């Protein structure tokens, strides 16, 4: 029912894109799962040409469903980037099989390599670094390898607080980027406030980490939905933005939209062209169509879908 409500509201209708926002949203990516992708009749009705579509691999999802989804979306003309979560991949042979299936059936040459949100590994792998070290992605000629970034401290990675483990992993990935032919980038968890993101990106730069950042943004969704996902995903400091909004009971049933954080980041990027955020990556927590509609209404020509 939430999706129906969003359709009626036509989130963002009548808005005009600013030049800064249009430039910032150009080339945005979006994340789907097999079950959410199945609800979309034709992605060309929603997404601009050439959009990168990440396919999240949740524990328990058969690889056959993942490959079928990749094949379908690639067939509609989009760049597909499936997740490779280390902790649900049994061994090197399984990883090789997945890569072969994706390439053989969907022509995939891009992947998001991450540990995965599973407490107990299914097999030999525990981290994205172990997957990269197999060399299988380079052997398969992958052109783009993205790895996870965390603008806000994550207690799952650094249980004692701080960023020691996070930065150790990023240092390793920075070095790995020098010995792979693939282009690498950081795809981040979603945030709700611009300032922590700006500070984190500047800190990366100061540490000599120059991988491009694809900033995670939660698409429009009900406030309760947003808070639930934020807590589950360990989003910390910027959660206060949602908590403050939640104090106004009248807003609890209205979608929380990403306009403010994106406007702030777009303005910062316009004023600081060398700022490392290269792209926006949407998590469509309120639905793919809802998110795409918001982008169309706020992204100007750069967000127009193929069938427009």
């Amino acid at each position: 029912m939430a999706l129906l409500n969003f359709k009626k509201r036509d989130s963002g209708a009548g808005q005009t894109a600013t030049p800064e926002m249009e430039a910032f949203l150009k080339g945005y990516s979006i994340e789907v799962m097999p079950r959410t992708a199945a609800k979309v009749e034709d992605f060309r009705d929603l997404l601009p040409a050439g959009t990168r579509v990440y396919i999240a691999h949740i524990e328990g999802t058969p690889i056959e469903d993942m490959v079928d989804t990749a094949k379908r979306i690639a067939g509609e003309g989009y760049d597909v980037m499936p997740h490779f979560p280390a902790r649900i991949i049994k061994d090197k042979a399984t990883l090789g099989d997945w890569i072969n299936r994706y390439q053989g059936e969907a022509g995939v040459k891009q992947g998001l390599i991450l540990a995965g949100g599973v407490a107990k590994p299914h097999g030999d792998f525990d981290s994205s670094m172990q997957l990269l070290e197999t060399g299988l992605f380079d052997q398969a000629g992958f052109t783009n390898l993205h790895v996870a970034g965390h603008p806000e401290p994550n207690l799952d990675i650094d249980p004692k607080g701080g960023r020691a483990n996070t930065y150790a992993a990023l240092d390793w990935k920075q070095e790995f980027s020098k010995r792979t032919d693939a282009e690498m980038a950081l795809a981040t968890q979603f945030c709700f406030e611009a300032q922590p993101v700006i500070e984190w990106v500047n800190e990366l730069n100061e540490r000599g980490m120059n991988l491009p950042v694809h900033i995670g943004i939660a698409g429009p969704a009900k406030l309760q939905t947003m808070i639930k996902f934020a807590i589950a995903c360990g989003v910390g400091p910027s959660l206060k933005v949602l908590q403050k909004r939640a104090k106004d009971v009248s807003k609890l049933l209205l979608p929380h939209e990403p306009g403010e954080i994106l406007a702030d980041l777009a303005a910062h990027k316009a004023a600081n062209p060398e700022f490392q955020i290269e792209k926006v990556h949407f998590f469509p927590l309120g639905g793919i169509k809802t998110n795409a509609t918001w982008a169309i209404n706020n992204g100007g020509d750069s967000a127009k879908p193929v069938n427009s």
Side-chain angles (χ1 to χ4, degrees):
M1 293 301 294
L3 183 58
L4 293 176
N5 290 337
F6 291 157
K7 286 181 181 178
K8 291 175 183 177
R9 187 174 185 272
D10 192 19
S11 176
Q15 296 186 26
T16 303
T18 66
E20 294 81 8
M21 182 72 85
E22 182 171 351
F24 198 61
L25 288 180
K26 186 175 182 179
Y28 77 81
S29 59
I30 195 165
E31 187 159 304
V32 305
M33 294 179 285
R35 63 178 177 81
T36 58
K39 298 176 182 179
V40 178
E41 183 175 344
D42 191 332
F43 279 90
R44 289 166 292 195
D45 294 332
L46 301 176
L47 303 179
T51 300
R52 175 181 282 129
V53 181
Y54 291 63
I55 307 177
H57 196 153
I58 307 301
E59 183 180 21
T61 304
I63 185 61
E64 292 80 8
D65 290 357
M66 292 291 297
V67 174
D68 286 346
T69 302
K71 181 179 180 180
R72 176 259 171 119
I73 296 173
E76 292 179 6
Y78 295 101
D79 293 331
V80 178
M81 179 175 273
H83 288 197
F84 289 87
R87 293 173 188 165
I88 68 170
I89 299 174
K90 183 178 178 181
D91 50 31
K92 186 175 179 179
T94 301
L95 175 60
D97 177 59
W98 286 18
I99 290 172
N100 290 336
R101 291 193 194 199
Y102 278 125
Q103 291 202 320
E105 297 187 39
V108 168
K109 288 193 174 182
Q110 306 184 48
L112 173 61
I113 320 302
L114 68 170
V118 177
K120 184 178 180 181
H122 291 195
D124 296 341
F125 300 119
D126 181 66
S127 72
S128 60
M129 294 174 284
Q130 291 171 322
L131 293 187
L132 293 170
E133 279 284 28
T134 66
L136 292 180
F137 296 105
D138 284 315
Q139 292 171 27
F142 270 54
T143 58
N144 296 83
L145 295 172
H146 289 186
V147 291
H150 300 276
E152 299 179 358
N154 189 305
L155 292 179
D156 288 338
I157 303 172
D158 285 286
K160 296 181 180 179
R163 296 183 181 271
N165 295 337
T166 304
Y167 279 142
L170 285 180
D171 287 340
W172 188 95
K173 293 166 186 175
Q174 176 77 38
E175 287 303 309
F176 181 83
S177 71
K178 300 174 183 177
R179 51 190 173 92
T180 177
D181 292 330
E183 294 184 14
M184 292 187 66
L186 300 178
T188 83
Q189 185 54 274
F190 54 82
C191 301
F192 300 102
E193 188 175 23
Q195 194 56 39
V197 173
I198 292 170
E199 293 172 359
W200 176 71
V201 173
N202 288 341
E203 189 171 352
L204 292 184
N205 186 263
E206 291 168 3
R207 290 176 57 86
M209 298 176 187
N210 58 11
L211 295 178
V213 174
H214 292 214
I215 188 65
I217 296 293
K222 283 185 178 180
L223 190 57
Q224 304 100 308
T225 301
M226 204 76 80
I227 292 174
K228 179 184 72 174
F229 277 104
I231 293 172
C233 295
V235 175
S238 69
L239 180 59
K240 65 179 181 288
V241 174
L242 300 184
Q243 293 170 330
K244 182 178 180 180
R245 181 181 171 95
K247 292 179 181 179
D248 185 343
V249 177
S250 66
K251 294 181 179 179
L252 284 175
L253 297 179
L254 297 176
H256 178 82
E257 299 183 347
E260 184 174 350
I261 182 173
L262 282 172
D264 290 345
L265 291 174
H268 187 80
K269 177 71 173 181
N272 303 273
E274 300 303 314
F275 188 57
Q276 275 174 247
I277 291 183
E278 180 181 78
K279 303 287 184 184
V280 170
H281 174 61
F282 280 115
F283 294 86
L285 303 185
I288 298 168
K289 183 173 183 179
T290 300
N291 200 146
T293 299
W294 189 93
I296 292 166
N297 289 330
N298 290 273
D301 289 340
S302 69
K304 285 184 177 179
V306 173
N307 295 338
S308 61

